[in-house]
């Protein structure tokens, strides 16, 4: 994720359980948060906020599906090209080990892909 994006463990937030993963800021960041109860109160107190919540949910579900289909059942080169096409900023900003992990490849494969693509 990058500036202005919402990062959330969906299941953990909505079911209010401990997440199986964690979210880590890799750059200096200013973070804003809202608790589940605060979000529910905003929905009740400001009905128009329900529209905003729906729009945000739609955006991130679409992004999630695009990422999933962009890397599922694809060869390493296709996954890397997907990342280059749709999220080139990640290539410039994230350390290679995180990119390789995200693409489910090793660092040596990532290095070869960078030199050929």
């Amino acid at each position: 994720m990058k500036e202005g994006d919402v990062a959330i463990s969906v299941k953990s937030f909505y079911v209010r359980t401990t997440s199986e993963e964690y979210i880590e800021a890799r750059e200096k960041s200013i973070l804003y948060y809202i608790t589940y109860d605060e979000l529910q109160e905003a929905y009740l107190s400001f009905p128009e906020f329900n529209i905003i919540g729906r729009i945000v949910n739609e955006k991130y579900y679409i992004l999630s599906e695009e990422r999933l289909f962009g890397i599922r059942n694809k060869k390493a080169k296709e996954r890397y090209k997907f990342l280059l096409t749709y999220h080139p900023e990640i290539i410039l900003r994230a350390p290679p080990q995180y990119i390789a992990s995200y693409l489910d490849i090793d660092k040596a494969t990532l290095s070869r892909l960078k030199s050929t693509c």
Side-chain angles (χ1 to χ4, degrees), residues 39-66:
L39 180 62
Q40 298 311 309
E41 181 61 34
Y43 286 149
L44 290 172
S45 300
F46 308 99
E48 63 277 5
F49 194 71
N50 286 278
I51 296 168
I52 295 167
R54 189 187 78 230
I55 291 168
V56 169
N57 274 322
E58 288 172 1
K59 175 184 175 181
Y60 287 99
Y61 273 113
I62 290 167
L63 285 174
S64 177
E65 190 171 292
E66 286 174 348

Side-chain angles (χ1 to χ4, degrees), residues 3-98:
E3 294 84 359
D5 284 340
V6 174
I8 181 175
S9 171
V10 175
K11 181 180 176 184
S12 173
F13 184 79
Y14 288 110
V15 179
R16 293 181 275 166
T17 60
T18 303
S19 177
E20 296 176 27
E21 299 181 305
Y22 60 91
I23 298 167
E24 179 181 347
R26 298 298 304 162
E27 298 175 345
K28 186 175 179 177
S29 304
I30 298 173
L31 305 176
Y32 300 96
Y33 71 92
I34 188 169
T35 67
Y36 176 85
D37 291 332
E38 290 168 339
L39 180 62
Q40 298 311 309
E41 181 61 34
Y43 286 149
L44 290 172
S45 300
F46 308 99
E48 63 277 5
F49 194 71
N50 286 278
I51 296 168
I52 295 167
R54 189 187 78 230
I55 291 168
V56 169
N57 274 322
E58 288 172 1
K59 175 184 175 181
Y60 287 99
Y61 273 113
I62 290 167
L63 285 174
S64 177
E65 190 171 292
E66 286 174 348
R67 279 193 304 269
L68 182 63
F69 290 125
I71 62 173
R72 182 192 293 160
N73 299 322
K74 306 260 194 232
K75 295 185 184 281
K77 188 172 189 173
E78 293 169 311
R79 292 192 301 258
Y80 182 71
K81 284 185 174 185
F82 172 85
L83 193 61
L84 277 175
T85 302
Y86 294 99
H87 304 286
E89 69 282 353
I90 291 174
I91 302 294
L92 299 173
R93 297 168 73 169
Q97 67 266 27
Y98 293 109

Side-chain angles (χ1 to χ4, degrees), residues 104-117:
D104 196 26
I105 59 177
D106 59 42
K107 285 180 17 179
T109 301
L110 176 61
S111 181
R112 283 193 300 276
L113 289 171
K114 281 184 171 184
S115 69
T116 62
C117 290

